[in-house]
Structures are given as C-alpha cells and as structure tokens.
Amino acid sequence: MSFDNSRCLQFRDAMANLSAAVNIVTTDGEAGRAGLTATAVCSVTDNPPTLLVCINRSSALSEVFKTNGRLCVNVLTHSHQALACDFAGMTGLSMDARFSGDNWQSGQLGQPCLNNALASLEGAVTQVQEIGTHNVFMVEIENIDVRDRGHGLIYFKRDFRVVETSEPLSSAVA
C-alpha cells in the first residue's frame, strides 16, 4: 500500500515529535571506511544483543554497510553535535576529513569507534531487509564500550537537543 505525498509529510511531521538519540554509525572493510549520522537505531533484544539500524537505500553508503557486513553504532554526547553535522553531510566535508583528527580509534572488530561516545557498539550484520525506502540492518553486537560521562544528544522538533544528566523523574514522584 502506497501513501500520497501529503500522508508522507504528515508522517514526517509526527516523527519530528519523536525524540531520538543521535548516533554516528560507522563501518570499515572491503568497501571502505564510511559513516553517517542516524537516529533510526533501536534495540531489538538483549539475548543475543541486537540492534536495528535503518539506512536510506538512496544513499550510496547503504551498499557500503551491506558489503562490509560490520558496523559500529556510536551514541553521541552533547559535545559531538558538530561531528553529527559533519557525518550528516551538512558541512560538505569529505568522508576522509570526517574521520580525521584524534576522535577515532579502531575497535576490537576493526570498526571506527568514537572516543568519548556515551557508548560504542560493534557488531556483525546478520540480516538486511528492504522496507519502503530503507534498508533495515539487524546487527548482532559483539563488542560494547560504555562511558558514564557526558549529556545525551537527541534530535527533537527537527533540531538537536541536550539531555542533561539529572535526577530521574521517577525519583521525584512521591
């Protein structure tokens, strides 16, 4: 079933109200090193640890991720907003320039892991499914690095927002 353009725009407007963590998803392998900014990342199950990552099929990077078969989801802190813009293609930097500097290290699976990310999750692509305009990658996570420092970075109402570490709301309820 296909929707008309107004329904698609209405859906996008609704999704702008869905807060989402900002991630840089990276890969390295036979098809080369690449990365992109993504909010369409979701946990699927903890046994085995599995993530779902959606990448638009119109992006040339989708085939790079498919061919390499491994990736790393780097969960960003508030201090990584400029890097998120770089990897979203908003600044015009080449892929090599995006990976320049000392922000990156090779993880245990050889994937680019962002120093000081809230979490870096490396894994193998176990399944790719085409749904609408996107490839949906199922990724079994094999290496996890978690850090406690930094506020979260989310995308909400078509802009970056900071999620500050503070007392959880559940603690404030009597």
Side-chain angles (χ1 to χ4, degrees), residues 12-82:
R12 288 180 188 162
D13 287 343
M15 291 300 96
N17 292 307
L18 179 65
S19 302
V22 181
N23 309 280
I24 294 177
V25 183
T26 57
T27 188
D28 200 356
E30 69 179 78
R33 183 172 60 172
L36 52 82
T37 300
T39 56
V41 175
C42 180
S43 64
V44 176
T45 179
D46 64 354
N47 189 13
T50 304
L51 292 176
L52 170 153
V53 177
C54 299
I55 301 175
N56 196 311
R57 280 199 319 275
S58 68
S59 168
L61 297 181
S62 189
E63 283 303 314
V64 173
F65 280 90
K66 232 177 171 179
T67 300
N68 286 349
R70 290 192 178 276
L71 59 79
C72 182
V73 173
N74 297 280
V75 182
L76 303 187
T77 72
H78 68 292
S79 65
H80 294 125
Q81 182 176 333

Side-chain angles (χ1 to χ4, degrees), residues 105-124:
Q105 64 184 3
S106 185
Q108 289 181 6
L109 304 178
Q111 300 308 297
C113 295
L114 179 61
N115 297 328
N116 301 315
L118 286 175
S120 294
L121 301 105
E122 284 184 283

